[in-house]
Amino acid sequence: MPTPERLEPISNEVSGGIQLAPVLQGPFHGSVSIGGQPGTTVAPYVKDPERWPVTNDWDAILSGVHRARPDAEGAVVPTYVERDADRRLRTRLAAVARTGGLLLLIGDSTAGKTRSAFEAVRQVLPGYRILAPDTNAELACGVEIIAGLGQSCLVWLDDLDRFLGEEGLEPGLLAELVRLRIPVLATMQSRVFNTLTLQAGRGSTAQGNPLAHHRNTVGLRVLNQAETVEMERLWSREEIGRAKHCRDERVRSASRYHGSYGIAEYLTAGPELWREWRQASCVGGAPRGASLVAAAVDLARTGLKGPYPHKLVIGLHEAYLTATGGLRLHPEPLESAVSWATQVRHGVTGLLMPGPGETWSVFDYLAGTARSESALPSVPIATWNAALRAEGADPLHIGMHAFHDDLFDVAEAALRPLIEESLDAALNLATILTRTGRPEEAEVLCRRTAEGGQAAAWCRLAALLHPQEDREEEAEDAYRRAIEGGHGHANRGLGDLLAEVNRDDGAEVAYTEALAAGVDEAWCGLGDILARAGRREESNTAFRNAAESPNPAVWCRLGSSLTKAGRTEEAMKLFQRSHEAGHSHAQTEMGDLLTELGRADEAESAYLSAHGKGEAAAACRLGDLLMDAGRNVEAKASYRKALDDGHVHAGCRLGELLSQGGLTKEAEAAYRQSFEGGHAHAGERLRFLLGQAGRYKEAAAVRYRRRRPGSGNSHGRKKKR
């Protein structure tokens, strides 16, 4: 076979997904005997090289890469992250492709060998046909075909030990492959490689079997001729850093929660353990064991740090068992349940792992996935309360987890006792008070904390006052007090406020000072006012700097700026980039742009996805979209969801829709809820509705209130003066 002519220059760039290596199905013990029985049949596709895959179109799963949990688009192979060994692997593969011979990638069963080898082949050998035999007979047949083919081919031997020996890849066949300049890329587990070389090297008879010893010796002669590259199971700091910035949410999550496991190991074993746990709550399964795991997972979801005492987990699990069916599932005894939950799977981990003393830790993948799995039931209040009472509990940490789960009662109970000693507790309680329709209490708390000398509290107070009509001067004063106290981020808020009232000179100064304090979001505001002043070159520079920021929130805001400038294609790319990096508001903005472009179906999908991630404004905007399309029943439901989630403008829109349909009682309730939340226009509509019904005294009692946070136009933006 001629030397391949289609080698690409070696590059350090990578594409595709993160490694999902085969997982060893149990601990490795004893000696290795390599070389199976010679195959008696050859699959038809092996005899037809036109059916062999070409590297450009090769499927990762067919190469041996394991599946991960599907992403939102259903992809089961995550995005590939560059490994430290990639450069050496690809350089050696290019060399072996020129000369023929064996390149062997060695590592633990979950190190990432198969995926890295797959990506190397696709990068270095485009256009090659792949011979991937399952048996020694297929290997021999395939090599014979390649010899007369005259086309660039690669022999792919995942788990090389299956093919070593006289019936498979032995020194004579390897010499023929070198003569023909056919590259062989193989993988092997480290324990297999080490045990094989040790046994053959010391003359072991492989448990008294001379034939096995002979095969091992033959295999060792092959291994001695191989170029080897080793891959570590645990990822380096640089590799983890690259994973943290990957566009694939699964990879980013693994970089956060992998704990003591390699990231590939975490992604490979994790989905299998998750599936086993979620399917165990059935008759004939392990319903009590699954309930033990559920209790531990939910304790992790509350923010209580593990490991967890046996007594705590066992005490909680009965409620979980009852919720899934209780005695109808014929649950196993507790001893059996504990054994099932702690059994080590795939040579990696159990669902629960023994900790110091009488404690269990939960496998990090389960806890991490549960935090992002919207289909799971919410954590029961009893579990939250148990977490808060647990020895060593951090109420601030647990309270913040409850806040992010919109469990404001739990969060308030956790945070309120801490407000005198913890600034974070005080400021987050103020946010809860605002979200639950108590802005006056929030303002009092922020002001009291701020006057105690806390610059961050002045900034939070300013953000509370900023959206309210006729309180711009108070908000400006609070921002300036925060800045005087050294809170550089307050400059960004001050810049926004000044820009909204067309005080652009002051806004430019504020944004510039915010940038000096490291607030990248200020680039967008600065770009907007520079564009408004006709300073296009400076504006474009500001926008370019925003695009280079590592902060997804900046990309989203830049997308909004570019939308105003009519640069919709650039804006859409930025919204998509921000969304892929995990910024929840990006899809709401994307929905707005798609609506403006007349792409209603896509806008609806974007709004639905954003609301599923906690964006209340998205449900309101979806209601607008549905109402414009005449889908009033769906619009009412969407407005109701937004209002219940604290978006008070949705109540005004819902009241209008209900009033048009003659549902005055329901309209009154919606207007009142919106008005009580601080929406001034809802109060006007409520007074009008009551007046129409002749309820003049009640109408007069609806007093004008200043607009509070959450009110505004349907896009949640303050109108320009």
Side-chain angles (χ1 to χ4, degrees), residues 466 476 479-480 483 488-516 519 521-533 535 542 557 720:
H466 185 159
E476 181 179 347
Y479 278 132
R480 293 194 184 279
I483 294 166
H489 283 66
N491 278 295
R492 205 290 304 277
L494 177 61
D496 289 346
L497 185 147
L498 296 174
E500 288 168 6
V501 295
N502 297 318
R503 292 166 58 186
D504 288 359
D505 289 345
E508 182 175 352
V509 172
Y511 285 137
T512 301
E513 292 179 354
L515 290 168
V519 185
E521 287 184 326
W523 282 120
C524 301
L526 181 61
D528 285 337
I529 62 170
L530 291 171
R532 199 155 66 194
R535 296 156 62 183
R557 183 164 177 175
K720 304 285 183 186

Side-chain angles (χ1 to χ4, degrees), residues 43 110 130 149 211 270 295 312 474 566 590:
T110 51
I130 308 296
L149 193 59
L211 179 58
L312 177 59
E474 294 176 78
M590 192 187 305

Side-chain angles (χ1 to χ4, degrees), residues 415-492:
L415 297 177
R416 190 173 285 281
L418 308 176
I419 60 175
E420 299 299 333
E421 60 189 52
S422 169
L423 175 63
D424 286 340
L427 297 185
N428 284 295
L429 178 58
T431 301
I432 291 171
L433 293 170
T434 304
R435 291 278 298 273
T436 54
R438 293 174 284 170
E440 292 91 350
E441 292 181 62
E443 183 177 337
V444 169
L445 179 59
C446 282
R447 195 175 295 278
R448 188 183 74 193
T449 307
E451 289 173 350
Q454 297 289 355
W458 281 116
C459 190
R460 182 65 60 90
L461 176 62
L464 185 66
L465 298 171
H466 185 159
Q468 301 183 41
E469 289 179 355
D470 303 325
R471 304 194 74 178
E472 287 88 352
E473 289 185 7
E474 294 176 78
E476 181 179 347
D477 178 66
Y479 278 132
R480 293 194 184 279
R481 284 175 178 256
I483 294 166
E484 289 171 4
H487 199 284
H489 283 66
N491 278 295
R492 205 290 304 277

